[in-house]
Amino acid sequence: MPLTRRFEVSYLASNGDIDEFQRVAPATPLFEEAFSALGRGALISTVDGLTAVEDILPGTLVETANGPKPLLWIGSMTVFPESGELAARAPGREPQKMLRIATDAFGFGRPAPDLMLGPKARLLYRSAACTEAVGAEEAFAPARAFIDGVSVIEISPMSPQKVWQLCFEGQQTFYVNGVQVESFHPGLKSEAMHDREMSALFLALFPHIDRFEDFGPMDVPRLTAFELENLRAA
């Protein structure tokens, strides 16, 4: 049986109210990717200014590449140090690490100030070289693929760290400390990759969603870390 962890959800109900709940679910990539993009203090660009991720509420109009979009869902979980009992119970499990991006690492104000990301964040990469790989000049790539040991570094948490992710209607590019981050989307083939029971457990964490198709379109393709490395080396 897979390890389990506690996930926290806040969402915009159909009547406009904000509802919250906590649930224990499998600690598998399907679930963890939906909850682990942003570290505490990450500043989200909204129509009313910058808001820390830990303070943002469903219904907030968030600035995206497609204009202001209402935040429908925000989820969080806790990343624990990979040692002791957890490591013993999950031999071979890839440690979950945070990422710190130094101020101006990607250009002036990108980010500003330093940005702490969770282990499953994806960042927008724009280059003409992307066209050959994915048919578009921009794509999302795992944030860990940008690690250079200087301005983008990997951090092993010494204490529990809470991490968050946002969900809108469809895949969105939103702005965090001036950096373009991908909102949560399970991908276009997620349902086919999981059995019915696991899919039902996952969808229950998204009360505004009935089917995987309801997550909406994906307008921006994705690159793997390996594909990004090859593009940047070319």
Side-chain angles (χ1 to χ4, degrees):
M1 293 293 293
L3 294 174
T4 59
R5 68 162 69 248
R6 184 176 300 278
F7 298 100
E8 300 180 9
V9 168
S10 180
Y11 69 98
L12 189 65
S14 58
N15 63 359
D17 290 344
I18 297 174
D19 290 337
E20 300 177 342
F21 63 88
Q22 299 181 7
R23 188 160 298 161
V24 174
T28 65
L30 172 67
F31 291 81
E32 292 181 344
E33 187 170 312
F35 292 82
S36 54
L38 306 173
R40 181 175 294 276
L43 299 174
I44 314 298
S45 295
T46 78
V47 296
D48 295 318
L50 298 176
T51 302
V53 64
E54 61 268 26
D55 297 328
I56 201 165
L57 296 173
T60 300
L61 286 176
V62 174
E63 298 285 4
T64 78
N66 295 315
K69 298 290 182 182
L71 177 62
L72 301 181
W73 179 99
I74 180 169
S76 64
M77 70 179 204
T78 301
V79 173
F80 294 94
E82 295 285 341
S83 60
E85 181 182 354
L86 181 59
R89 290 171 58 201
R93 175 184 169 88
E94 182 180 352
Q96 291 185 313
K97 298 184 178 183
M98 305 288 287
L99 293 173
R100 181 184 291 279
I101 305 179
T103 299
D104 300 337
F106 301 141
F108 182 72
R110 301 179 53 238
D114 288 7
L115 173 61
M116 185 73 78
L117 295 175
K120 300 297 184 180
R122 287 191 180 94
L123 305 180
L124 191 70
Y125 177 71
R126 185 178 291 110
S127 170
C130 281
T131 305
E132 293 184 11
V134 295
E137 289 193 357
E138 60 183 26
F140 286 111
R144 65 180 183 274
F146 296 87
I147 293 172
D148 59 12
V150 180
S151 57
V152 183
I153 62 174
E154 196 171 51
I155 297 176
S156 297
M158 300 301 293
S159 61
Q161 301 290 322
K162 196 167 184 179
V163 288
W164 291 261
Q165 177 58 301
L166 312 185
C167 187
F168 303 87
E169 181 179 355
Q171 178 199 44
Q172 299 295 335
T173 303
F174 64 103
Y175 301 91
V176 185
N177 293 40
V179 173
Q180 293 172 298
V181 178
E182 182 186 26
S183 67
F184 176 69
H185 193 292
L188 299 178
K189 299 181 180 179
S190 292
E191 185 172 17
M193 297 171 61
H194 301 90
D195 61 37
R196 182 176 300 178
E197 181 179 2
M198 193 65 71
S199 294
L201 285 172
F202 178 74
L203 290 175
L205 296 171
F206 297 86
H208 64 294
I209 296 293
D210 293 321
R211 306 171 302 162
F212 277 92
E213 292 85 346
D214 295 335
F215 281 102
M218 286 185 64
D219 297 326
V220 181
R222 289 171 176 166
L223 292 166
T224 66
F226 178 74
E227 288 171 332
L228 179 63
E229 182 180 355
N230 287 340
L231 287 178
R232 298 177 77 184

